[in-house]
Amino acid sequence: MIVVVSIKDDLHALAVQDRIRSTSDLPCHVVESDALIDSSGFEWTGHDGRGLEDEAYSDQNAFVSGEWRAALLGALLSGFRGRWVSDPGMTRIAANKLLQLKVAAEIG
């Protein structure tokens, strides 16, 4: 089984899923990590929790979303026995804007 962890409606993730399904017999699922907040557990699809008007509720939404993200990452790091295409730890480091600016300045 192949699992692509991304965000809702990510065209790149969906293209990867389509390519894998069309070229192999392996099942491939996209986990929409931003949709987990509205689900009752880890599901392959969910609902988008964006667009909330009430700021307090929005703060709660951000907190719960972060907790779901941490739970999903913990589940993957503790239970996944396959090969990472993008290691989650390295991906998180690479996403750091200050580090990106430093590296960009170093290489011109």
Side-chain angles (χ1 to χ4, degrees), residues 20-105:
I20 290 169
R21 286 181 170 175
S22 68
T23 60
S24 77
D25 292 331
L26 293 171
C28 181
H29 303 280
V30 174
V31 174
E32 298 170 339
S33 61
D34 60 330
L36 292 174
I37 189 171
D38 287 338
S39 67
S40 60
F42 293 125
E43 296 185 26
W44 298 123
T45 60
H47 303 298
D48 190 357
R50 289 183 236 164
L52 301 172
E53 298 297 326
D54 180 33
E55 187 173 323
Y57 191 75
S58 183
D59 288 345
Q60 281 182 326
N61 191 27
F63 173 76
V64 172
S65 180
E67 292 298 302
W68 270 114
R69 202 173 300 114
L72 175 60
L73 179 60
L76 290 172
L77 290 175
S78 65
F80 179 69
R81 298 293 175 248
R83 200 169 28 165
W84 291 104
V85 173
S86 298
D87 179 270
M90 297 308 292
T91 300
R92 187 174 190 168
I93 291 169
N96 185 288
K97 297 300 180 198
L98 292 175
L99 180 59
Q100 291 174 6
L101 289 171
K102 178 180 180 266
V103 171

Side-chain angles (χ1 to χ4, degrees), residues 10-25:
D10 178 4
L11 293 178
H12 294 101
L14 296 173
V16 167
Q17 180 186 42
D18 183 60
R19 178 68 176 195
I20 290 169
R21 286 181 170 175
S22 68
T23 60
S24 77
D25 292 331

